[in-house]
Amino acid sequence: MSSNSTKDNISLKSYNTFGIDVNANKIITIEEVSDLRKFLEEDSHRVKNRLILGGGSNVLFTKNFDGLVLLNRIRGIEIIKEDEEFVFVKVGAGEEWHELVVWAVDKSYGGIENLSLIPGSVGAGPMQNIGAYGVELKDSFYELEAMHLQTLELKKFNTEECQFGYRESIFKQQYKDQFFITSVTFKLKKHPQLNITYGAIQSELKAMGIEQPNVKDVSNAVIRIRQSKLPDPKILGNAGSFFKNPEITISQFEKIKAEHPAIVAYPTTPGKIKLAAGWMIEQCGWKGKVIGHTGSHKDQALVLVNYGNATGDEVYQLALDIKKSVFEKFGVEINPEVNVY
Ligand code: FAD
Ligand code: NAP
């Protein structure tokens, strides 16, 4: 296993974008699928708890991790087939997501440009079916390969088997912490149809003076919006939106709207309405509030931040307090999008 490195009793502070300082018993960097198999074969009788980590941009650690962290750094971007309409691109799960977007945009392949600048690894993308500006990973997904951490079986999953939902998949539910996603194959469009339904993209393109946008223009617009609105984790620890937007029925929505006419909501799946969790959190007075070493960001109420020395427990307690007050004011439950360990 020449390409792997192993470290013992190490701080995870630089391995999570919240910057929470907890320890893990051991970390191993995985660069090849064959090394993952070999390592798991040799190690399986010794370690019970295992955690797969990519960029650590969607985790909150509330305690030391009593086990082994598998740090995914499996690289590679390869076109495996193409036809008139699509290119099929197999990507090592340890590639950085945004690097893949840049690669696709440079070649004018369409489908993932709205997902520009999302931090983290390609392998974590299917985990919560990453989404932004009206586009989700599942829209360009073809299949993935994942290794079961106990049986070491390498299994392929198609779209249906991944059970993608709104910031959800089978890997965040019944298969949580069971499969190591090793590669993801995408189906990118050679003749892209752009999705600029979100008002922010339209305004940004207008501000850029672009009337006939291409994939690169949309990607640039998304990058500009994100850089102006979102706290950079290198400067202020965070894991993006802490909560998911809740989906409710139309009759629930009508009751809430009667009491809160300004509520921000969008139709999603038939019969369901998505409420903007950030708006509700702001209405509860949390936006910009600093509590100890943590708080809700001044420009993005949905983003909880670490002002320097926050513990994971402190951030999690704030999340629970926010959840409680949203429930008391709106009667709606909001749940974390971030994976809490
Ligand atoms: P990690 O944090 O390392 O892991 C997240 C979870 O996935 C963990 O449970 C981990 O065990 C599991 N996991 C990681 N890799 C694998 C693997 N190979 N196989 C199996 N399980 C695995 N998300 C969005 O959807 N849309 C956004 O627009 C968005 N914007 C963000 C902006 C900021 C500033 C930040 C900090 C985060 C944002 N996120 C967004 C959240 C985050 O970037 C994504 O969820 C991303 O996919 C996480 O990737 P990661 O490699 O950092 O995952
Ligand atoms: P925004 O544009 O201020 O919009 C607020 C909320 O309204 C968003 O959550 C979005 O839902 C929803 N929304 C806005 N326009 C919509 C439309 N035309 N159709 C359906 N829903 C609409 O949001 P923002 O906070 O600045 O984020 C912009 C985009 O980046 C969003 O898509 C958001 O999900 C994504 N983002 C995600 C994270 C994360 O960590 N998950 C972090 C930052 C940004 P959706 O969230 O469902 O799109």
Side-chain angles (χ1 to χ4, degrees):
M1 281 184 285
S2 54
S3 59
N4 295 338
S5 68
T6 314
K7 293 178 185 171
D8 291 330
N9 197 24
I10 183 157
S11 167
L12 293 179
K13 188 169 176 165
S14 60
Y15 295 97
N16 72 99
T17 60
F18 251 125
I20 304 293
D21 197 4
V22 292
N23 282 354
N25 297 0
K26 203 174 197 174
I27 296 190
I28 177 162
T29 304
I30 303 291
E31 293 180 0
E32 304 280 346
V33 180
S34 55
D35 285 347
L36 173 64
R37 179 184 294 282
K38 202 168 166 214
F39 182 81
L40 290 174
E41 270 166 4
E42 287 169 4
D43 200 63
S44 58
H45 58 289
R46 273 179 281 158
V47 182
K48 271 216 300 258
N49 291 333
R50 297 199 183 98
L51 170 67
I52 305 154
L53 216 49
S57 64
N58 207 16
V59 290
L60 175 66
F61 293 117
T62 58
K63 51 183 176 301
N64 288 332
F65 184 71
D66 182 17
L68 169 72
V69 171
L70 299 162
L71 198 61
N72 177 17
R73 296 292 181 264
I74 300 170
R75 304 277 178 192
I77 301 182
E78 187 194 356
I79 295 177
I80 52 167
K81 60 176 178 176
E82 56 188 297
D83 57 29
E84 258 305 294
E85 269 185 84
F86 299 105
V87 284
F88 295 79
V89 187
K90 185 173 178 178
V91 187
E95 285 287 341
E96 277 188 32
W97 173 263
H98 183 65
E99 293 299 310
L100 170 65
V101 176
V102 170
W103 179 92
V105 163
D106 279 349
K107 294 182 162 45
S108 298
Y109 296 147
I112 55 176
E113 58 280 0
N114 292 39
L115 307 179
S116 296
L117 221 59
I118 297 182
S121 59
V122 166
M127 167 77 185
Q128 72 159 16
N129 180 25
I130 49 170
Y133 298 101
V135 169
E136 294 179 327
L137 171 139
K138 76 167 169 44
D139 305 330
S140 301
F141 178 87
Y142 181 63
E143 66 179 16
L144 64 77
E145 271 184 331
M147 188 180 286
H148 193 277
L149 292 179
Q150 297 302 328
T151 66
L152 310 192
E153 180 200 2
L154 199 56
K155 185 176 159 26
K156 281 188 177 171
F157 290 79
N158 62 26
T159 305
E160 204 184 316
E161 289 164 326
C162 288
Q163 297 184 15
F164 290 124
Y166 180 63
R167 308 287 192 268
E168 280 296 348
S169 77
I170 197 164
F171 301 101
K172 207 169 177 178
Q173 296 295 334
Q174 76 188 84
Y175 288 164
K176 181 105 195 261
D177 303 322
Q178 288 184 40
F179 278 93
F180 186 122
I181 297 169
T182 54
S183 71
V184 186
T185 302
F186 296 90
K187 195 177 160 183
L188 301 177
K189 293 189 185 78
K190 287 183 169 175
H191 313 289
Q193 293 138 353
L194 303 178
N195 180 336
I196 51 170
T197 48
Y198 273 43
I201 298 191
Q202 289 172 19
S203 318
E204 195 61 40
L205 287 169
K206 204 169 169 200
M208 290 158 71
I210 291 165
E211 281 173 13
Q212 303 273 312
N214 56 29
V215 287
K216 191 155 201 154
D217 297 325
V218 173
S219 172
N220 284 339
V222 170
I223 290 170
R224 282 165 61 122
I225 303 166
R226 294 183 75 106
Q227 283 174 338
S228 71
K229 284 183 83 174
L230 284 171
D232 179 350
K234 287 193 191 99
I235 297 164
L236 194 57
N238 75 88
S241 305
F242 195 90
F243 296 98
K244 286 196 291 185
N245 290 326
E247 287 182 297
I248 60 172
T249 62
I250 291 171
S251 65
Q252 279 173 307
F253 173 66
E254 275 159 4
K255 273 190 216 143
I256 298 172
K257 190 161 170 70
E259 233 185 288
H260 306 278
I263 190 138
V264 180
Y266 298 88
T268 47
T269 38
K272 291 271 172 116
I273 302 278
K274 173 182 77 178
L275 301 181
W279 183 86
M280 293 191 286
I281 294 169
E282 189 176 344
Q283 297 304 304
C284 292
W286 291 104
K287 191 174 180 180
K289 222 175 187 178
V290 180
I291 298 106
H293 303 101
T294 182
S296 154
H297 191 254
K298 64 176 175 47
D299 300 326
Q300 285 283 349
L302 206 47
V303 177
L304 305 190
V305 296
N306 173 6
Y307 286 107
N309 295 307
T311 63
D313 267 341
E314 214 178 342
V315 178
Y316 193 56
Q317 187 54 54
L318 171 65
L320 292 177
D321 292 344
I322 291 175
K323 181 182 163 88
K324 186 164 174 269
S325 69
V326 167
F327 188 76
E328 281 167 3
K329 192 171 175 79
F330 296 97
V332 177
E333 209 176 298
I334 55 169
N335 289 306
E337 176 184 297
V338 170
N339 301 274
V340 180
Y341 288 96

